[in-house]
């Protein structure tokens, strides 16, 4: 069974595209996939009821599937059945999770073995089709999981702590294109490099402090860093009224901190809770789309 995790960026999204570090976690919700020899190459995606045939000039999923299959020489036609348990376009790394699960499932069906790192690298090409210029954080966290500091082009640095993170993830119901949000930041960087570089540098400082806070188990400090990161992402015009309201609702319900996560412009927000019961209370305040993710570093 192939599995690709969803991911949540704790801090550092967008800056990570421009070479700064980010801290991300792999969550247990994601995509499972199974593959077997068949009459034709086919990717079946549930619960969307979507059948995808590989086409190098087609829609993104068709192109991505074509690129993935072209990596395997000497193979029979193959059918992949993937079950997606993540909202699409919500900043939880859905496209990367599908890519990782598909490669993993096809590897298994063909009796091939590769490391999780190799799986992450294979899924980068898949991500490029969806996001143009991805940092690589989504496919890497999807394949490797855990809590880690990621910087483009460098080995993933796992973070260790004796305290689990009690996260609440809330979906705004809006699914913007990550590629458009990344392009919007790139345009701002080009037209106002001083302001945007200052924002990236400030995020960099937050990420470094967050690493220390996670390692020390200081979740009060981590919560404050999440709030500050949200404010900087707002200044880059990535937050929406809905995301702001959800973050505020989470703080009012007792969260130690809250922020948008991923591409922004909609998508998801995260909140940090002191413990499991508190996370459930925050979840209730955010409504039925919210769920709890407990992550051990
Ligand atoms: C998307 O989940 C995170 C971004 O930083 C884009 C990327 O890292 O490729 C917005």
């Amino acid at each position: 069974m192939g599995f690709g995790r969803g991911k949540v960026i704790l801090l550092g999204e967008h800056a990570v595209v421009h070479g700064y570090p980010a801290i991300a976690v792999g969550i247990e919700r994601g995509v499972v996939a199974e593959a077997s020899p068949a009459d034709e190459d086919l990717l079946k995606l549930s619960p969307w009821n979507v059948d995808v045939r590989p086409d190098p000039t087609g829609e993104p999923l068709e192109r991505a599937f074509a690129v993935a299959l072209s990596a395997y020489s000497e193979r029979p036609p193959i059918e992949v059945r993937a079950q997606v348990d993540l909202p699409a376009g919500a900043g939880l790394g859905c496209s990367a999770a599908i890519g990782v699960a598909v490669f993993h499932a096809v590897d298994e069906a063909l009796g091939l073995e590769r490391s999780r790192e190799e799986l992450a690298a294979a899924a980068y090409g898949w991500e490029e089709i969806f996001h143009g210029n991805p940092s690589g954080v989504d496919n890497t966290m999807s394949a490797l999981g855990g809590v880690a500091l990621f910087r483009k082009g460098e080995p993933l640095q796992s973070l260790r702590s004796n305290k689990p993170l009690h996260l609440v993830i809330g979906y705004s119901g809006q699914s913007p294109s990550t590629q458009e949000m990344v392009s919007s930041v790139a345009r701002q960087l080009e037209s106002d490099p001083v302001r945007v570089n200052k924002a990236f540098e400030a995020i960099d400082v937050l990420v470094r402090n967050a690493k220390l806070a996670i390692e020390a188990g200081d979740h009060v400090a981590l919560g404050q860093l999440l709030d500050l990161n949200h404010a900087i992402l707002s200044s880059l015009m990535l937050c929406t009224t809905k995301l702001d309201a959800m973050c505020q609702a989470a703080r009012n319900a007792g969260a130690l901190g809250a922020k948008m996560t991923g591409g922004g412009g909609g998508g998801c927000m995260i909140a940090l809770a002191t413990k499991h019961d508190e996370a459930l209370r925050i979840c209730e305040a955010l409504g039925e789309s919210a769920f709890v993710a407990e992550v051990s570093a």
Side-chain angles (χ1 to χ4, degrees), residues 7 9 12-17 22 91-93 124 127 131 133-139 150 178 181-182 238 260-264:
K7 70 92 196 32
I9 297 187
E13 53 274 269
H14 285 286
V16 71
V17 174
L92 300 183
Y124 183 78
E127 267 300 86
H131 298 319
N133 176 28
S135 62
V137 66
D138 288 15
N139 49 296
F150 173 89
T178 302
M181 302 317 291
V182 168
L238 295 162
M260 59 151 270
T261 183

Side-chain angles (χ1 to χ4, degrees), residues 13 53 72 100 112 125 127 145-146 151 183 202 219-220 228 241 245 248 255 258-259 272 276 292:
E13 53 274 269
R53 288 178 177 78
Y72 300 92
V100 168
L112 303 172
E127 267 300 86
R151 191 196 277 263
S183 301
H219 291 183
V220 172
L228 290 169
T241 317
Q248 199 48 51
K259 67 180 270 293
L272 179 66
H276 185 72
V292 173

Side-chain angles (χ1 to χ4, degrees), residues 54 67 85 169 179 187-188 224 276 285 293 296:
V67 166
D85 185 25
I169 300 168
Q179 188 163 6
R187 280 194 302 277
Q188 293 178 57
Q224 288 166 350
H276 185 72
S296 294

Side-chain angles (χ1 to χ4, degrees), residues 95-294:
S95 57
I98 297 174
V100 168
V102 166
F103 275 104
H104 194 189
V106 175
D107 283 358
E108 278 191 358
L110 300 179
L112 303 172
E113 277 200 24
R114 57 177 133 193
S115 67
R116 300 303 294 185
E117 285 79 6
E118 287 166 338
L119 198 55
Y124 183 78
W126 178 286
E127 267 300 86
E128 271 183 315
I129 291 170
F130 289 91
H131 298 319
N133 176 28
S135 62
V137 66
D138 288 15
N139 49 296
T140 304
M141 292 313 296
S142 179
L144 280 93
V147 182
L149 188 111
F150 173 89
R151 191 196 277 263
K152 207 170 175 174
E154 290 184 7
L156 196 68
Q157 194 182 331
S158 289
L159 303 186
R160 296 269 165 259
S161 170
N162 55 9
K163 247 194 193 176
L165 294 167
H166 302 282
L167 298 174
V168 180
I169 300 168
Y171 177 40
S172 69
Q174 298 150 331
S175 290
S177 145
T178 302
Q179 188 163 6
E180 273 170 31
M181 302 317 291
V182 168
S183 301
S184 147
V185 174
R187 280 194 302 277
Q188 293 178 57
L189 179 62
E190 206 181 313
S191 63
D192 195 350
V194 174
R195 175 180 68 87
V196 177
N197 276 316
K198 272 195 179 140
F200 289 163
E201 280 156 25
I203 290 172
D204 188 19
V205 172
L206 299 182
V207 168
R208 288 169 199 280
N209 280 293
K211 173 182 180 289
L212 299 177
I214 290 169
E215 287 171 339
D218 186 351
H219 291 183
V220 172
L222 182 60
Q224 288 166 350
L225 294 164
L226 295 183
D227 287 345
L228 290 169
N229 195 174
H230 182 79
I232 299 172
L233 292 165
S234 277
S235 79
L236 294 171
M237 287 169 278
L238 295 162
C239 300
T240 62
T241 317
K242 179 91 192 269
L243 284 171
D244 285 341
M246 290 173 81
C247 289
Q248 199 48 51
R251 292 182 198 112
N252 293 344
L256 296 169
K259 67 180 270 293
M260 59 151 270
T261 183
C268 285
M269 50 71 68
I270 50 166
L272 179 66
T274 45
K275 52 186 192 273
H276 185 72
D277 292 358
E278 289 289 316
L280 293 177
R281 227 154 50 92
I282 295 164
C283 225
E284 236 176 73
L286 289 175
E288 60 187 32
S289 76
F291 64 96
V292 173
E294 313 271 355

Side-chain angles (χ1 to χ4, degrees), residues 2-6 30-33 43-46 48 52 61 64-65 68 80-89 92-106 119 123 126-127 130 138-139 142:
F3 180 53
R5 286 178 189 79
V31 178
V32 290
L43 169 60
K44 290 171 95 63
L45 290 165
S46 306
W48 304 336
V52 180
L61 262 172
F65 191 38
V80 186
R81 295 163 300 281
Q83 179 74 34
V84 183
D85 185 25
L86 291 170
L92 300 183
C94 182
S95 57
I98 297 174
V100 168
V102 166
F103 275 104
H104 194 189
V106 175
L119 198 55
W126 178 286
E127 267 300 86
F130 289 91
D138 288 15
N139 49 296
S142 179

